Amino acid sequence: MSAICGVLSLDERSAPRHDLAVMMRALNKHGPDGNDSWHSGPIALGHQAMHITLESRHERLPLHHAPSGIALTCEARIDNRDELMRAL
């Protein structure tokens, strides 16, 4: 199973990257398939990847969509993926 972590600086200073690095090291065993992080201002996200499905091999998380400013990382499973894809 993959692992995620994050830091939010409530006083709006830059998120302490050292804190994220400590968390990423603690979760290292969950990331045999790679890891990455994303930082912007008061927010930092980390992801330790363990691919358990064929689809997950193509994931690169955290994901940042520059036009919207949205960033996310998750460890999730969608059981009704085909149904959702048809609806979309």
Side-chain angles (χ1 to χ4, degrees):
M1 178 179 285
S2 299
I4 62 173
C5 58
V7 179
L8 170 63
S9 177
L10 296 177
D11 60 8
E12 298 187 14
R13 290 183 292 170
S14 291
R17 291 184 185 201
H18 176 266
D19 292 353
L20 186 71
V22 169
M23 289 187 282
M24 291 288 281
R25 280 193 302 276
L27 298 172
N28 194 46
K29 69 179 181 181
H30 298 282
D33 297 320
N35 62 69
D36 205 355
S37 61
W38 173 86
H39 307 85
S40 182
I43 301 170
L45 301 173
H47 189 97
Q48 296 281 3
M50 181 182 293
H51 302 308
I52 57 172
T53 66
L54 292 176
E55 296 85 3
S56 71
R57 294 174 190 249
H58 304 291
E59 294 173 352
R60 297 295 175 258
L61 296 168
L63 175 67
H64 177 244
H65 183 255
S68 68
I70 295 173
L72 66 91
T73 194
C74 66
E75 170 60 22
R77 184 177 109 180
I78 300 174
D79 290 322
N80 62 337
R81 184 174 187 263
D82 293 336
E83 179 185 344
L84 290 171
M85 293 297 288
R86 284 191 299 273
L88 293 171

